[in-house]
Amino acid sequence: QKEVEQNSGPLSVPEGAIASLNCTYSDRGSQSFFWYRQYSGKSPELIMFIYSNGDKEDGRFTAQLNKASQYVSLLIRDSQPSDSATYLCAATTGGFKTIFGAGTRLFVKA
Amino acid sequence: EAGVTQSPTHLIKTRGQQATLRCSPISGHTSVYWYQQALGLGLQFLLWYDEGEERNRGNFPPRFSGRQFPNYSSELNVNALELEDSALYLCASSFAYEQYFGPGTRLTVT
């Protein structure tokens, strides 16, 4: 069964630090990868997507993809208390089905 | 540009009744996805519609069904409601691979 795995956390970092969120996927045919942020009681919000090996930066966010290791990560620089949320990793398989991980809870301490 | 909209926001039903949830995608998006998120749990894929056709279905019983209309809006129907159907039901739309979520419908079954 194709899976996307994340550490459930919570991951706790102090304000201003770098938060590092990790994700592994089982389907080698996966081509597209996404990070969503979900605040409690709200719907997921797309914050990053990455298709190619390497890094992709957008503001304080950097997504990293290593297809050989089947590993995706999200770095949040200068973490703020408002970044406290659950972060969902998702991968689109070769059959165009998107599989979501269970999410990592991030807590940024002021 | 208007985002994905869902109605109703909240829905309270009694066990055994039927529930109908509605979703309007972002203009230009042809795919609609439905997910169930029980309290404190991850996203569970329900259904994927594209161009009016059901493209994929998650591991849910047949009493979960839906359809997509010519204007790409979609409806999710849940028959013979059970207590464990209480959850946040999320609709997402996409044109390519990135999915954008609506605010969700919170269904409570009593």
Side-chain angles (χ1 to χ4, degrees):
Chain A
Q1 181 172 341
K2 299 177 175 59
E3 294 181 341
V4 173
E5 296 191 359
Q6 299 180 253
N7 187 320
S8 63
L11 172 65
S12 184
V13 300
E15 183 175 359
I18 295 175
S20 178
L21 303 161
N22 305 314
C23 170
T24 59
Y25 60 96
S26 63
D27 183 5
R28 285 197 171 274
S30 296
Q31 294 294 323
S32 310
F33 304 89
F34 309 91
W35 282 100
Y36 289 82
R37 177 177 63 199
Q38 186 175 24
Y39 292 112
S40 181
K42 302 296 185 181
S43 62
E45 173 192 8
L46 179 65
I47 54 174
M48 290 287 289
F49 57 88
I50 186 166
Y51 300 149
S52 304
N53 273 331
D55 295 1
K56 179 181 179 182
E57 187 174 317
D58 184 0
R60 295 187 297 114
F61 299 99
T62 299
Q64 299 175 317
L65 173 60
N66 184 325
K67 290 187 177 180
S69 300
Q70 295 177 243
Y71 180 90
V72 191
S73 65
L74 179 70
L75 302 178
I76 306 175
R77 290 181 299 281
D78 188 25
S79 294
Q80 301 297 310
S82 58
D83 294 326
S84 298
T86 296
Y87 289 80
L88 305 174
C89 173
T92 300
T93 69
F96 303 105
K97 182 177 176 181
T98 300
I99 299 176
F100 284 81
T104 298
R105 287 176 294 150
L106 173 66
F107 179 60
V108 180
K109 298 175 291 185
Chain B
E1 179 183 284
V4 178
T5 60
Q6 291 186 247
S7 64
T9 303
H10 294 93
L11 189 57
I12 300 174
K13 292 286 187 178
T14 303
R15 189 171 50 186
Q17 287 187 318
Q18 178 198 28
T20 298
L21 288 64
R22 296 179 175 85
C23 171
S24 291
I26 292 171
S27 177
H29 286 192
T30 60
S31 281
V32 170
Y33 305 80
W34 287 96
Y35 295 88
Q36 182 196 65
Q37 188 174 39
L39 191 63
L41 299 181
L43 293 174
Q44 301 297 317
F45 169 71
L46 269 164
L47 291 158
W48 169 25
Y49 292 97
D50 181 61
E51 298 283 0
E53 302 278 335
E54 182 180 303
R55 301 296 184 183
N56 210 334
R57 179 180 184 89
N59 294 325
F60 281 84
R63 59 191 185 83
F64 287 83
S65 65
R67 54 181 172 166
Q68 186 178 34
F69 300 100
N71 66 354
Y72 303 116
S73 67
S74 178
E75 196 173 86
L76 174 69
N77 294 292
V78 188
N79 294 319
L81 284 164
E82 300 179 1
L83 295 178
E84 52 264 37
D85 296 333
S86 295
L88 180 67
Y89 288 83
L90 292 161
C91 169
S93 75
S94 75
F95 175 71
Y97 296 123
E98 308 95 77
Q99 295 183 24
Y100 296 89
F101 285 84
T105 293
R106 183 158 302 279
L107 173 63
T108 302
V109 183
T110 63

